[in-house]
Amino acid sequence: MIGELLVTAGVLVLLFLGWQTWWNSAVLAGQQTSAATKQGEEWLPPRHETVPRATSSPTPVAPPVEKAPAPAQPLAVIYVPRFGVHWKRIIRETVDVQSVLNSYDAGVGHYPGTAMPGQIGNFAIAAHDTGYGNTFIDVSKLRIGDAVYIQTPQGFYTYRFRNYEYVQPDAVDVLLPVPRRHGVAAKQRLITMTTCNPPYHAQERMAAYGVFESWQRTPPAAIAAEVGK
């Protein structure tokens, strides 16, 4: 009798884990994508706005930089074509679990105190690899040169993936202005994407690094079809 109860309990636990990991995450991923689409539409230039040629083309220097919003408020929309043609998520200020990382309409959080998009320093963000939308489950699939697009009310910032490394959960130095380099002043505009590793576990962390390439007011051609749809 006790053995049967234990088996039943084990099956129920497995079913719950399957629901949490697959079905619930798939539903949340769809909701997060829809929310990001809506947010991206709100930040597009008005249709009647005339965008000068000089600002509609990628600009390699002096991109606009906004101030960080209040905690849990939308900061940007991130697009990573390597993660899927339709993949996009809202980035909110802070990495609070309940209001940001586990949110049905966000999923990605910005580490407070790190750089903002386009700012010299380290624009550092975080998301779950599995569960709650499986947001960063494909970070390990990034290839050198892959684009990471960040949309704010100012326009679109293009970063290019450079490399990643596996670190311990307490390796907060990946968030430094120059990751892993204490006391070194930043000279570049960087992005760091952090998540748990390996998938479905949390023994360590993965940090994926990228370098700023350009800014433009209107959507880059590579994601134009996905912005505002």
Side-chain angles (χ1 to χ4, degrees):
M1 182 67 177
I2 295 178
E4 292 178 355
L5 290 174
L6 291 174
V7 170
T8 300
V11 170
L12 291 175
V13 169
L14 289 175
L15 288 173
F16 173 78
L17 291 175
W19 173 83
Q20 177 70 35
T21 301
W22 298 108
W23 175 251
N24 189 46
S25 287
V27 171
L28 280 177
Q31 294 175 326
Q32 291 167 350
T33 298
S34 296
T37 298
K38 182 179 179 181
Q39 184 66 78
E41 289 176 345
E42 293 179 3
W43 285 343
L44 285 175
R47 292 184 181 274
H48 64 271
E49 177 181 328
T50 300
V51 181
R53 182 178 299 275
T55 58
S56 61
S57 299
T59 304
V61 296
V65 176
E66 292 196 336
K67 293 182 179 180
Q73 294 303 303
L75 178 155
V77 175
I78 179 174
Y79 306 80
V80 185
R82 177 66 68 180
F83 296 168
V85 176
H86 305 296
W87 193 96
K88 65 192 87 167
R89 294 289 190 276
I90 291 176
I91 302 174
R92 287 183 176 173
E93 180 65 9
T94 79
V95 291
D96 178 71
V97 173
Q98 294 304 318
S99 63
V100 180
L101 302 187
N102 292 2
S103 171
Y104 70 90
D105 58 359
V108 183
H110 171 240
Y111 286 100
T114 66
M116 292 288 287
Q119 186 176 15
I120 292 177
N122 186 12
F123 173 54
I125 56 179
H128 291 304
D129 63 335
T130 49
Y132 300 97
N134 294 350
T135 306
F136 276 178
I137 193 171
D138 290 328
V139 165
S140 63
K141 295 181 180 179
L142 287 169
R143 298 295 178 263
I144 294 175
D146 278 352
V148 177
Y149 301 105
I150 304 294
Q151 179 190 11
T152 76
Q154 297 291 335
F156 294 81
Y157 304 75
T158 299
Y159 291 84
R160 294 288 173 182
F161 172 70
R162 183 175 61 186
N163 67 297
Y164 61 79
E165 66 174 331
Y166 302 102
V167 299
Q168 293 301 308
D170 60 354
V172 296
D173 54 0
V174 299
L175 308 180
L176 292 172
V178 179
R180 312 280 275 173
R181 301 290 299 277
H182 292 269
V184 177
K187 296 181 180 179
Q188 292 181 298
R189 298 171 173 89
L190 306 175
I191 185 172
T192 297
M193 304 164 63
T194 67
T195 192
C196 294
N197 184 76
Y200 313 106
H201 299 83
Q203 291 97 329
E204 57 187 6
R205 299 291 182 267
M206 176 183 285
Y209 305 113
V211 181
F212 176 79
E213 179 181 77
S214 63
W215 170 85
Q216 61 191 83
R217 182 76 174 99
T218 54
I223 61 167
E226 282 305 307
V227 178
K229 285 192 174 184

